[in-house]
């Protein structure tokens, strides 16, 4: 028994002297492990007489309890100390500014689309979308360009391989042609889809990607347009002119915007006009390289730049879309988004828009915080 007391004293001293969880664990194994001295002492109980056992058992159990208690207490102490040390080494100074992380930017085309939506929403327009993989009927026929219409040839269309030509499926040539799939060449088919879905009255813009097989410094196979469509009773060309003028004044953030509506021809509008805006051709290079839009295009040092087409919706288009053309009239317009973005933010090569060059994006891109709003400005670079 005195042995046991000595062993206990030695163990308690060693436990108390342990400076790590591992050292403590060694002490636990040495005392309480399967072959530890406490466990061996407990095993001797079997060979004892009942009287001896009566005396020895509680004594051994008491030693066991004391050693186990000392180990638990030391373990809690060591763990608390380790946590303290960790907390002390991992302090963060929350008053420091956040580290500068590399971040992406908003492409000028996306920014301009947001600007368009903001301005037109204020005029009561909603934003509509349509598929980029379109069928022949919506892209051409319903816009008053039937099979033989010469205007089709001007669209340099990307067609998909003709399924109808595979045989059995095409019961009639005409049906096959209408279903022919293509990449939409303009946003105008959204006019048809929206009118068919929602009827009249309509007041929408439809910004999006369009595709034509064309490529040089001012043309890319994919580019962006925004379509506008207003259909209601008693709509006339004056509404169109006011809407475009109001839009461009808000977009370029200046009052001296002068538009010129030039007679033109589109199969889906009658009459049709092309929209030009006056700009100063002496201004290029000044004001950070921007061309300065504004003023009369015929004034000295000024010129006209074409921005898109528009007109009164041809009644055949209204009829194709299921609208009562005796009751309703409409105006429509289609503007090149990339073009007005170049004009506003001073880019001079359209191809750079789609190169994905980080240097260009760094220079011309916008911070996600530059949300265009009418109150804070739709296009002022901070
Ligand atoms: N869809 C025409 C194009 O891409 C542009 C256009 C002209 C749209 C006149 C219109 C419009 O809505 O009225 O060339």
């Amino acid at each position: 028994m005195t042995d046991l007391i000595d062993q206990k004293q030695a163990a308690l001293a060693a436990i108390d002297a342990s400076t790590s969880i591992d050292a403590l664990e060694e002490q636990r194994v040495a005392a309480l492990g399967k072959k530890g001295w406490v466990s061996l002492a407990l095993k001797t109980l079997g060979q004892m007489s009942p009287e001896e056992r009566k005396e020895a058992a509680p004594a051994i159990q008491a030693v066991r309890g004391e050693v186990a208690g000392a180990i638990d207490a030391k373990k809690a102490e060591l763990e608390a100390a380790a946590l303290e040390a960790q907390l002390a080494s991992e302090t963060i100074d929350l008053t420091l500014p956040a580290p500068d992380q590399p971040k992406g930017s908003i492409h000028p085309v996306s920014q301009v689309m947001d600007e368009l939506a903001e301005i037109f929403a204020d005029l009561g327009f909603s934003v509509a979308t349509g598929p980029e993989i379109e069928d022949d009927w919506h892209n051409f026929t319903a816009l008053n360009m039937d099979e033989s219409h010469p205007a089709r040839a001007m669209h340099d269309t990307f067609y998909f391989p003709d399924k109808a030509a595979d045989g059995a499926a095409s019961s009639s040539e005409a049906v096959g042609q209408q279903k022919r799939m293509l990449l939409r060449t303009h946003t105008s088919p959204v006019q048809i889809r929206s009118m068919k879905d929602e009827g009249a009255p309509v007041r929408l813009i439809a910004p999006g990607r369009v595709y034509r097989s064309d490529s040089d410094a001012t043309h890319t196979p994919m580019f962006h347009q925004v379509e506008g469509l207003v259909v209601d009773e008693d709509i006339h060309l004056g509404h169109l002119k006011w809407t475009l003028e109001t839009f461009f004044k808000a977009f370029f953030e200046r009052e001296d915007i002068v538009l010129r509506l030039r007679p033109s021809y589109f199969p889906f509008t009658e009459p049709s006009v092309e929209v030009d805006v006056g700009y100063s051709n002496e201004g290029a290079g000044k004001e950070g390289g921007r061309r300065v839009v504004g003023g009369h295009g015929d004034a000295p040092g000024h010129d006209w730049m074409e921005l898109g087409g528009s007109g009164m919706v041809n009644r055949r288009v209204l009829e194709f879309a299921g609208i009562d053309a005796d009751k309703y009239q409409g105006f429509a317009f289609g503007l090149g988004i990339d073009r007005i973005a170049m004009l506003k933010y001073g880019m001079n090569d359209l191809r750079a828009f789609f190169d994905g060059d980080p240097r260009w994006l760094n220079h011309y891109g916008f911070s996600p915080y530059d949300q265009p709003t009418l109150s804070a400005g739709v296009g002022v670079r901070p």
Side-chain angles (χ1 to χ4, degrees), residues 224-262:
H224 299 84
Q225 288 189 335
V226 58
E227 196 74 13
L229 176 67
V230 170
V231 177
D232 210 330
E233 295 176 43
D234 303 323
I235 293 291
H236 54 74
L237 211 58
H239 294 125
L240 167 63
K241 187 156 191 269
W242 181 88
T243 304
L244 289 174
E245 261 168 16
T246 304
F247 161 68
F248 280 117
K249 282 178 182 169
F251 181 75
F252 289 112
E253 300 190 304
R254 45 196 298 164
E255 277 301 307
D256 63 343
I257 295 293
V258 182
L259 291 187
R260 179 173 76 174
L261 300 186
R262 212 162 14 92

Side-chain angles (χ1 to χ4, degrees), residues 128-129 131 134-135 137-139 141-143 178-179 188-204 229 231 313 316-324:
T129 54
E134 191 47 285
D135 59 55
W137 190 82
H138 287 92
N139 196 79
T141 309
L143 288 161
Q178 304 285 299
K179 284 268 170 241
S188 302
V190 185
Q191 289 188 26
I192 305 296
R193 290 186 176 274
S194 302
M195 285 191 281
K196 278 182 82 83
D197 286 353
E198 278 155 45
V202 178
R203 206 187 291 182
L204 61 84
L229 176 67
V231 177
V313 180
R316 280 179 58 78
V317 172
L318 295 174
E319 285 161 6
F320 271 119
I323 304 279
D324 179 352

Side-chain angles (χ1 to χ4, degrees), residues 277-291:
V277 67
Y279 73 98
S280 157
N281 56 17
E282 290 173 342
K286 295 183 190 149
E287 293 200 19
R290 294 185 195 188
R291 287 183 193 276

Side-chain angles (χ1 to χ4, degrees), residues 44-347:
T44 61
L45 291 174
Q47 286 106 50
M48 291 182 191
S49 66
E51 289 75 36
E52 280 175 324
R53 193 180 305 136
K54 221 176 184 179
E55 213 177 287
I60 301 173
Q61 289 298 3
V63 168
R64 185 173 174 277
E66 231 180 302
V67 172
I71 290 174
D72 285 349
K74 189 71 189 177
K75 191 170 179 202
E77 189 186 304
L78 288 173
E79 280 174 351
L83 184 61
E84 279 304 318
Q86 190 182 5
L87 288 176
S89 72
E90 290 181 3
T91 51
I92 305 173
D93 184 350
L94 294 176
T95 64
L96 287 174
D100 207 13
Q101 301 278 1
K103 46 185 182 293
S105 58
I106 307 292
H107 195 284
V109 170
S110 302
Q111 186 78 8
V112 165
M113 285 191 183
D114 287 349
E115 293 173 10
L116 293 170
E118 177 69 13
I119 296 167
F120 278 108
D122 193 52
L123 299 177
F125 285 62
S126 57
V127 175
T129 54
E132 290 172 27
I133 297 176
E134 191 47 285
D135 59 55
D136 196 276
W137 190 82
H138 287 92
N139 196 79
F140 290 125
T141 309
L143 288 161
N144 199 29
M145 283 184 268
D146 66 17
E147 290 302 312
S148 56
H149 203 291
R152 281 193 178 211
M154 289 163 56
H155 278 228
D156 298 313
T157 312
F158 287 115
Y159 285 100
F160 284 87
D162 199 349
K163 278 218 189 94
D166 295 349
S170 73
S171 50
S172 93
E173 173 85 356
V175 172
Q177 289 294 330
Q178 304 285 299
K179 284 268 170 241
R180 191 140 74 121
M181 301 307 281
L182 45 85
L183 289 176
R184 69 178 180 189
T185 57
H186 50 177
T187 42
S188 302
V190 185
Q191 289 188 26
I192 305 296
R193 290 186 176 274
S194 302
M195 285 191 281
K196 278 182 82 83
D197 286 353
E198 278 155 45
V202 178
R203 206 187 291 182
L204 61 84
I205 58 164
R209 283 190 272 263
V210 301
Y211 303 84
R212 290 188 200 178
S213 176
D214 205 354
S215 190
D216 59 38
T218 53
H219 297 89
T220 47
M222 186 280 296
F223 57 104
H224 299 84
Q225 288 189 335
V226 58
E227 196 74 13
L229 176 67
V230 170
V231 177
D232 210 330
E233 295 176 43
D234 303 323
I235 293 291
H236 54 74
L237 211 58
H239 294 125
L240 167 63
K241 187 156 191 269
W242 181 88
T243 304
L244 289 174
E245 261 168 16
T246 304
F247 161 68
F248 280 117
K249 282 178 182 169
F251 181 75
F252 289 112
E253 300 190 304
R254 45 196 298 164
E255 277 301 307
D256 63 343
I257 295 293
V258 182
L259 291 187
R260 179 173 76 174
L261 300 186
R262 212 162 14 92
S264 185
Y265 172 77
F266 299 102
F268 31 92
T269 43
E270 180 56 41
S272 303
V273 291
E274 261 164 294
V275 185
D276 300 336
V277 67
Y279 73 98
S280 157
N281 56 17
E282 290 173 342
K286 295 183 190 149
E287 293 200 19
R290 294 185 195 188
R291 287 183 193 276
V292 181
V293 173
H296 199 281
D298 290 329
H302 281 65
D303 206 349
W304 297 106
M305 172 150 338
E306 187 191 322
L307 296 181
S310 67
M312 298 301 294
V313 180
N314 191 312
R315 63 177 289 134
R316 280 179 58 78
V317 172
L318 295 174
E319 285 161 6
F320 271 119
I323 304 279
D324 179 352
D326 291 325
K327 186 169 174 207
Y328 291 103
Q329 305 79 45
F331 69 77
F333 57 85
L335 306 172
I337 292 183
D338 314 287
R339 203 160 237 237
I340 61 175
M342 287 167 83
L343 210 49
K344 182 168 179 179
Y345 293 115
M347 287 80 88

